[in-house]
Amino acid sequence: MTTPRGFAASLTPLSRSVRAFLACAALVVASALVLPAGHAHATTTTTLPSSTTYRAQLLAGVNHQRTIRGLPALRLSSCLNDSYAQPWAVYMAVHHTMVHQSMSRMLTGCHVSIAAEDIGAGAVSAASMVSAWMASPDHRANILDSHLRYIGVGAAHYHSVTWYAVLDFAGPITG
């Protein structure tokens, strides 16, 4: 049985001039998440849901966690989704790695003032992946951050039952 592993990164809001200055030197804070084997539910068959289905389940799970706490649901952003989250999930799956991508690229590429990222990997259902993120203080903080309004969701696997998942969050669009 594989347990999900994850990393959370966040970037605090910056003024436009400071963001431009620090574009190449964005600080990314990451923490590892490993759950006890009994805590996660492993995928028991070799038939996996489609990436589209898994991504939709991740989004529904994250938005459920927000709405039950009185927070607005995150809106899917095509910029975060198509340019960052899904391509990064594919990259991690192909290379069997868990690393963060540049938050500064996301800030400028999607014209947002704050950005954060949760990543995870495991042979688990989307619901178990969301549960694992919610059990981690850093991941949970990103999911429940009221300043974050947009999301991109990525999920991929490559010749295995291990899902590589990415949640890219962003705050207000600046222009």
Side-chain angles (χ1 to χ4, degrees):
M1 178 181 311
T2 303
T3 58
R5 300 171 288 140
F7 292 93
S10 63
L11 186 66
T12 56
L14 300 171
S15 70
R16 285 185 183 181
S17 60
V18 173
R19 247 189 328 190
F21 177 75
L22 297 176
C24 293
L27 174 64
V28 177
V29 179
S31 65
L33 169 69
V34 179
L35 296 178
H39 187 73
H41 304 294
T43 305
T44 56
T45 66
T46 57
T47 305
L48 296 173
S50 71
S51 173
T52 302
T53 299
Y54 197 86
R55 292 164 67 190
Q57 292 169 344
L58 289 172
L59 178 60
V62 166
N63 276 334
H64 174 73
Q65 293 299 323
R66 287 178 62 91
T67 58
I68 63 173
R69 290 168 177 82
L71 295 168
L74 294 166
R75 295 191 333 209
L76 198 60
S77 159
S78 61
C79 181
L80 292 171
N81 207 54
D82 302 338
S83 299
Y84 298 97
Q86 185 58 25
W88 199 249
V90 170
Y91 173 87
M92 291 192 313
V94 168
H95 296 285
H96 303 289
T97 188
M98 293 237 316
V99 295
H100 285 285
Q101 60 189 309
S102 169
M103 296 292 103
S104 62
R105 283 185 51 233
M106 207 177 300
L107 287 168
T108 57
C110 292
H111 306 288
V112 294
S113 59
I114 57 175
E117 180 172 76
D118 286 353
I119 60 176
V124 297
S125 68
S128 292
M129 186 75 73
V130 172
S131 293
W133 280 325
M134 290 302 291
S136 161
D138 291 337
H139 295 91
R140 180 185 175 99
N142 285 342
I143 291 169
L144 300 180
D145 188 326
S146 63
H147 297 103
L148 300 171
R149 299 296 184 154
Y150 303 96
I151 191 169
V153 181
H157 58 87
Y158 184 72
H159 298 301
S160 76
V161 295
T162 300
W163 283 103
Y164 290 83
V166 177
L167 300 179
D168 285 328
F169 305 95
I173 295 174
T174 59

